[in-house]
Amino acid sequence: MKLAPLAPLYERRGPWATAYLDTSVADESLATRRELQARETAEDLARQGADEATCRAVQEALEAATHGGPGAGVAVFATGGEVVYASGLTAPPESGSLTSWAPLPHVAPLVRLLPDEPDCLVARIDRTGADLELRTADRYRPLGEVAGRDWPVHRTASADWSERHFQLSVENTWKENARTVAEGIAEAVAETGAELIVLAGDERERRTVRESLPQHLAPFAVETRHGGRAAGSSEESLDAAVEEEQQKFLRRRTAEQLERFEAARQRPDGRTEAVDGVPALVEAAREHRIETLLLHPEGPDTYAEVWAGPEPDQLATRRTEVRELGEPEPFATRADDALLRSAVTTSAAVVLVPGGEPERAPQEDLAADNRAERQGSSGSEASGEVPVGGLGAVLRWATEGEHPQPEPGTG
């Protein structure tokens, strides 16, 4: 997930007001309902201890939010009387609204409700070139045209020698144009960081372009028969095809991360390249060792209590440990919010993992038993199961074995 926009939330000290609101409905009573919802949210924050200026800032932001548009909700984060970050949501909060007044911003629900589509480069191809556009979660951006040679590009029906020579020239022009389009796509990907390439147009043209792409881009390119440069091409069908490919991409990426997680914690040499359980994750976060954080929103460990200070690496399962890290007044916070702060500030990746209810394993010996059971049932195959407790991580570097881990406590 793209969490870099959340960085400003960790550049300021709290406490933080967080508000999530359903904005999916727009009807004749919208104005009255919007004002009422915004006021009730501000009053709820005030009851939790939020200051008047911050409550007012949240209320004004919610009153200004668009209702009934393409989004389904809004999230607002404020401190010191100022909204620091606000974002539209792809789905409304399950309860319709959610508020929090806490030392850290409550960003965990945002991971589930934020748009997560990969940035997609769409190429509408024909025999003379292609039109390129970038599709992100919130907008489409034209990237211009890649123009190849426009002659000769059409075959003839004649079979004499001169016409066969002409047809060979047509074939060469097609291939040359395909290489030109492929080069344009490669440049656009390098410039935009697009993660997925969708080639639209007639089968022969898009296949030739795909075969001409640089080797490192070929695994990220897919074809669709919908859309193209020709007049009358169906935009609705192309939109649906792109969305389907984006969802496939997300499922593949999640499966790959889960398989990597399983393989990393099943190393036969005893080295630890992946961990789950709050104590191990807290230790890895404190040492900036988390490369990819895996999060199941309904996991019981996500709301486990940990202790923290204002700095991301002031994190422990016991209050006394945070004091030893230099913070005289630690605060209790949710494990998921603390680990997400660490992920954002250390540029770790975050992957939302779906699946069934994660099992809870608060003790290290139980976690080890669960891992052994999975190994016995799946052999060398990666099972792709949800991390124990709903939280897991692939580490930036391996460690020799696992350290003894105390249970979370107040110290």
Side-chain angles (χ1 to χ4, degrees):
M1 302 198 71
K2 304 175 184 67
L3 298 183
L6 301 184
L9 297 179
Y10 305 112
E11 295 170 357
R12 302 173 63 165
R13 296 196 177 191
W16 285 87
T18 302
Y20 295 85
L21 186 65
D22 183 349
T23 62
S24 60
V25 178
D27 53 29
E28 63 277 1
S29 63
L30 172 60
T32 301
R33 186 176 63 256
R34 177 164 49 192
E35 182 179 344
L36 178 61
Q37 288 176 326
R39 185 172 68 249
E40 289 178 344
T41 299
E43 291 172 351
D44 190 23
L45 288 169
R47 284 191 292 270
Q48 296 179 47
D51 60 275
E52 182 179 351
T54 299
C55 290
R56 183 168 59 251
V58 171
Q59 181 174 345
E60 292 173 354
L62 294 179
E63 288 176 344
T66 300
H67 285 239
V74 63
V76 176
F77 302 87
T79 188
E82 178 185 355
V83 172
V84 178
Y85 181 75
S87 175
L89 307 175
T90 56
E94 292 182 1
S95 60
S97 65
L98 175 65
T99 60
S100 170
W101 176 250
L104 293 181
H106 186 29
V107 300
L110 195 63
V111 176
R112 180 169 55 87
L113 301 174
L114 267 179
D116 191 31
E117 295 87 356
D119 291 351
C120 178
L121 182 72
V122 177
R124 304 166 187 263
I125 303 165
D126 66 11
R127 297 176 183 179
T128 64
D131 297 321
L132 305 182
E133 68 180 36
L134 180 69
R135 300 192 179 196
T136 64
D138 56 356
R139 64 173 179 152
Y140 295 178
R141 177 160 66 94
L143 298 179
E145 176 186 8
V146 180
R149 293 171 54 194
D150 59 6
W151 188 90
V153 293
H154 297 291
R155 290 182 173 182
T156 68
S158 175
D160 65 32
W161 181 89
S162 62
E163 292 303 332
R164 288 198 301 272
H165 180 73
F166 178 82
Q167 290 179 16
L168 181 60
S169 297
V170 170
E171 293 281 352
N172 291 336
T173 300
W174 287 359
K175 292 179 181 179
E176 180 181 335
N177 288 351
R179 287 192 294 270
T180 300
V181 170
E183 290 170 0
I185 290 174
E187 291 175 2
V189 169
E191 177 185 340
T192 63
E195 302 167 274
L196 177 65
I197 304 167
V198 175
L199 308 176
D202 290 339
E203 180 180 3
R204 175 162 183 163
E205 283 74 48
R206 64 177 190 256
R207 184 180 69 247
T208 308
V209 168
R210 186 174 186 177
E211 292 171 350
S212 302
L213 285 172
Q215 187 174 2
H216 71 282
L217 293 183
F220 307 103
V222 296
E223 301 177 39
T224 177
R225 59 186 177 85
H226 302 292
R229 300 182 95 187
S233 297
S234 172
E235 285 297 310
E236 293 80 5
S237 298
L238 177 60
D239 292 345
V242 170
E243 182 177 355
E244 180 181 357
E245 293 298 338
Q246 288 175 318
Q247 294 306 310
K248 288 180 181 178
F249 177 93
L250 291 176
R251 289 194 293 270
R252 285 195 303 270
R253 183 173 65 183
T254 300
E256 288 167 0
Q257 290 293 347
L258 285 172
E259 290 173 1
R260 184 182 174 209
F261 173 73
E262 283 293 299
R265 66 179 181 179
Q266 294 177 9
R267 285 177 59 105
D269 59 6
R271 290 168 61 82
T272 302
E273 287 187 335
V275 294
D276 53 18
V278 173
L281 287 163
V282 163
E283 180 181 353
R286 189 169 58 239
E287 298 173 355
H288 299 187
R289 287 191 289 125
I290 294 179
E291 177 185 298
T292 302
L293 178 67
L294 305 178
L295 171 66
H296 186 297
E298 305 303 323
D301 280 356
T302 59
Y303 47 83
E305 183 180 86
V306 298
W307 290 88
E311 300 301 324
D313 53 2
Q314 292 176 327
L315 181 62
T317 56
R318 297 180 184 274
R319 184 192 316 207
T320 52
E321 292 180 72
V322 181
R323 287 176 176 160
E324 292 170 359
L325 294 171
E327 174 51 43
E329 297 184 6
F331 53 82
T333 188
R334 290 174 55 122
D336 52 5
D337 284 333
L339 291 169
L340 284 166
R341 177 178 69 165
S342 176
V344 172
T345 56
T346 61
S347 300
V350 176
V351 174
L352 187 70
V353 293
E357 183 69 21
E359 55 186 318
R360 186 172 184 85
Q363 300 178 4
E364 181 59 25
D365 56 350
L366 178 56
D369 290 343
N370 288 332
R371 285 194 290 272
E373 180 179 349
R374 279 192 296 271
Q375 282 184 301
S377 63
S378 62
S380 61
E381 297 275 346
S383 68
E385 292 185 16
V386 175
V388 171
L391 289 171
V394 177
L395 304 180
R396 287 190 164 108
W397 64 86
T399 59
E400 296 291 343
E402 296 182 0
H403 301 290
Q405 299 167 344
E407 292 185 52
T410 60

